[in-house]
Every structure is written in C-alpha cells, then in structure tokens.
Amino acid sequence: MELSGKVAVVTGGSRGIGRAVCLRLASLGATVIINYVSRSDAADEVVKEIEGNGGKSGVYQFNVADTAAVTEAFKAILADHGRIDILVNNAGITRDGLFMKMKESDWDDVLNINLKGAYNCIKAVTRPMMKQRQGAIISITSVIGFAGNAGQANYSAAKAGLIGLTRSLAKELSARNITVNGVAPGYIDTDMTKDLPDNVKDIILSEIPLKRMGDPEDIAGAVAFLASDDGKYITGQFIHVNGGMFMG
Ligand code: NAP
C-alpha cells in the first residue's frame, strides 16, 4: 500500500483509533491532517511522532459539529495543502444511558458529533474531490450501528445513520471516482472504552470469538486498505473489525 503525494484529513486524530489511523496513513507516505477538539497536547504528540518518523502532517482544531468552523477549517486545509484525497470521519463520542432516562442533550450531542459531524466534513470535501475526480471517504461506524445495544440508542442511531449516509453517497459520488466506505469496529481498547466496568468487559469478551478487545491499529489497517489503490474498486461497503462478535 502506498499513499505518497496524497493528503488525508482524520477527524479526532489526536487519540485512540484516529491517532492510529494518522500514524498508519503517514507511514504509507500521506500528508496527514490531524483534527482534534480539545486535547491539543495529544494532537501535538501525534504530529511529533509522524514528523519524527520523517512524515508530513498538520494540525487543525475544530468541533466537527460546528458547521461554520468545519467550513473554515477545510478552506484553510485546502489553501495550505492544495488538495484533499482522503477523509476519515472518526471523531465520535458516547453518552450512554437507558432510553427512558436519556436526556435530550445526550441524544443531540451524540447525533451532532457522530453524524452531523460527518455530514459537515463530507460536505466540505465533496466539491474539491469532485474537481479532482478522485477521493476516498471512510467513516468509522460501529458494530452497534448494525446490531444495536441496550443503553446506546443515541449512539446506535448515529452510527446507523452513518451507514445509510455512506451507502447513499457511494451511489452519488462514484461517477466522479470517489469511493465512500465504512469501517465498523467492535470493542477497541481506547479512552472511549477504558472506563467500562469489569463485569461489562467480561460480558463483552465472552461474546467475542477472538477473546480479546481490538487494538486501534487493527482499525488503522482496514482504513489504510480502503484509502489505498488496493481498495479503489470498493465502494458502499463496510469492513467489520470486531474479532468475530458480529458477522454482518
Ligand atoms: P476516543 O479515544 O475517545 O477519541 C475520540 C477522538 O475524537 C479524540 O481525538 C477527540 O478529540 C475526538 N473528538 C471528540 N469529539 C470531537 C468533536 N466534537 N470534534 C472533533 N473531534 C472530536 O475514541 P475512539 O475509541 O478512538 O473512537 C474513535 C471512533 O471510533 C469514534 O467514532 C467511535 O464511535 C468509533 N468506535 C470506537 C469503538 C471503541 O470500542 N473504541 C468501537 C466502535 C466505534 P480530543 O482528543 O481533542 O478530545
């Protein structure tokens, strides 16, 4: 796999899965734009690691849910780097709770960041990618978007929305040689999952045939494949990276 000369934007690239995706794409030769919302220290570490390995990167702070901020940031990225070949919609949050008790703000925050955030970023890259007649859009969905999960109605709805968005855009944008795909992780060892109580982790592990949580690098490999020429005839698809817990 080879990504030399390509410019990739990874939302939520400062930590967890996004960080691993940034490092992987940079190791394959892409210039990687790291987005974060609040943890500039973590984003700077990713830049340091990429540049320490001889790679190229840039860092842009914005909240993916803020349409005006996203529009401005992508204008700046295009002005600074000339093109965007790869967009990875990775930024995401959870606000778990049983639906009966779920606050409207928990619904709105999750939908706004996980789904509207992807809409905002895809809107910002569609025109430049159409002009280039080339692009790869990859969204990090979730096993929960396919299978559902008690206590995650908001998250599940957002991720299922991302799945529908991906399929529709794959049909709309293919005439311009833009592929639109998703990677659907199972349970991955990141800050998002580190505070799960031990008894919940035990239940989850009992449902995973490979008997372990995944690493962020497991997701990065699937993203890199879809972003590279090896994945250029794949569109509207989802790679399930979940240790076998859901076979879609
Ligand atoms: P994480 O460790 O909590 O990292 C979240 C990342 O998203 C951080 O870089 C954070 O930036 C960024 N972010 C959060 N809100 C943002 C916003 N409004 N605007 C821009 N960036 C924002 O999460 P993760 O586990 O790596 O998850 C990454 C993606 O994979 C998410 O979409 C998640 O839903 C999905 N996923 C994760 C798992 C899992 O088991 N971990 C499973 C399935 C799917 P700051 O550093 O600035 O806070």
Side-chain angles (χ1 to χ4, degrees), residues 3 7 15 28 39 51 55 71 82 88 98 119-120 130 138 178-179 187 192 198 217 224 227 240:
L3 297 174
V7 176
R15 290 186 287 125
L28 295 170
R39 290 282 306 276
E51 294 183 355
T71 307
V88 183
L98 290 176
Y119 159 87
N120 284 332
M130 284 172 91
I138 299 146
I178 300 168
T179 60
Y187 283 87
M192 186 177 272
D198 282 346
E217 291 70 24
H240 293 271

Side-chain angles (χ1 to χ4, degrees), residues 170-238:
K171 292 187 176 180
E172 253 183 70
L173 300 178
S174 56
R176 301 297 180 107
N177 197 30
I178 300 168
T179 60
V180 190
N181 291 293
V183 174
Y187 283 87
I188 309 298
D189 192 6
T190 68
D191 290 346
M192 186 177 272
T193 49
K194 76 175 184 339
D195 293 331
L196 286 174
D198 282 346
N199 62 327
V200 175
K201 276 192 181 161
D202 288 345
I203 294 170
I204 291 168
L205 285 176
S206 74
E207 291 167 355
I208 302 175
L210 283 176
K211 294 291 166 222
R212 65 168 180 89
M213 290 177 83
D215 297 318
E217 291 70 24
D218 293 324
I219 308 303
V223 172
F225 169 66
L226 290 170
S228 75
D229 271 1
D230 287 342
K232 71 179 186 302
Y233 196 55
I234 299 173
T235 197
Q237 306 299 322
F238 299 88

Side-chain angles (χ1 to χ4, degrees), residues 12 14-15 17 37-39 63-64 90 141 155 159 186 188 190:
S14 45
R15 290 186 287 125
I17 291 170
V37 66
S38 59
R39 290 282 306 276
N63 175 357
V64 292
N90 166 78
T141 64
Y155 185 77
K159 293 301 190 183
I188 309 298
T190 68

Side-chain angles (χ1 to χ4, degrees), residues 47-211:
V47 172
K48 221 160 103 184
E49 195 162 340
I50 290 175
E51 294 183 355
N53 292 330
K56 285 178 275 186
S57 65
V59 60
Y60 294 77
Q61 188 280 338
F62 57 89
N63 175 357
V64 292
D66 180 339
T67 307
V70 171
T71 307
E72 281 313 302
F74 277 82
K75 265 191 205 155
I77 294 167
L78 282 164
D80 294 346
H81 297 277
R83 56 190 295 115
I84 297 172
D85 301 283
I86 300 159
L87 168 67
V88 183
N89 289 307
N90 166 78
I93 61 162
T94 50
R95 295 281 183 272
D96 297 349
L98 290 176
F99 188 69
M100 284 292 287
K101 294 184 179 167
M102 187 176 286
K103 288 187 279 177
E104 189 179 351
S105 60
D106 289 337
W107 175 270
D108 288 344
D109 288 350
V110 168
L111 269 288
N112 284 336
I113 293 172
N114 296 31
L115 183 56
K116 179 84 183 285
Y119 159 87
N120 284 332
C121 296
I122 294 171
K123 264 272 171 168
V125 300
T126 305
R127 198 177 294 276
M129 282 184 176
M130 284 172 91
K131 276 194 190 157
Q132 288 166 196
R133 292 196 166 267
Q134 190 238 324
I137 298 170
I138 299 146
S139 296
I140 308 300
T141 64
S142 170
V143 63
I144 306 303
F146 287 90
N149 195 24
Q152 290 197 300
N154 49 359
Y155 185 77
S156 170
K159 293 301 190 183
L162 206 44
I163 292 162
L165 176 67
T166 297
R167 289 191 171 125
S168 294
L169 289 182
K171 292 187 176 180
E172 253 183 70
L173 300 178
S174 56
R176 301 297 180 107
N177 197 30
I178 300 168
T179 60
V180 190
N181 291 293
V183 174
Y187 283 87
I188 309 298
D189 192 6
T190 68
D191 290 346
M192 186 177 272
T193 49
K194 76 175 184 339
D195 293 331
L196 286 174
D198 282 346
N199 62 327
V200 175
K201 276 192 181 161
D202 288 345
I203 294 170
I204 291 168
L205 285 176
S206 74
E207 291 167 355
I208 302 175
L210 283 176
K211 294 291 166 222

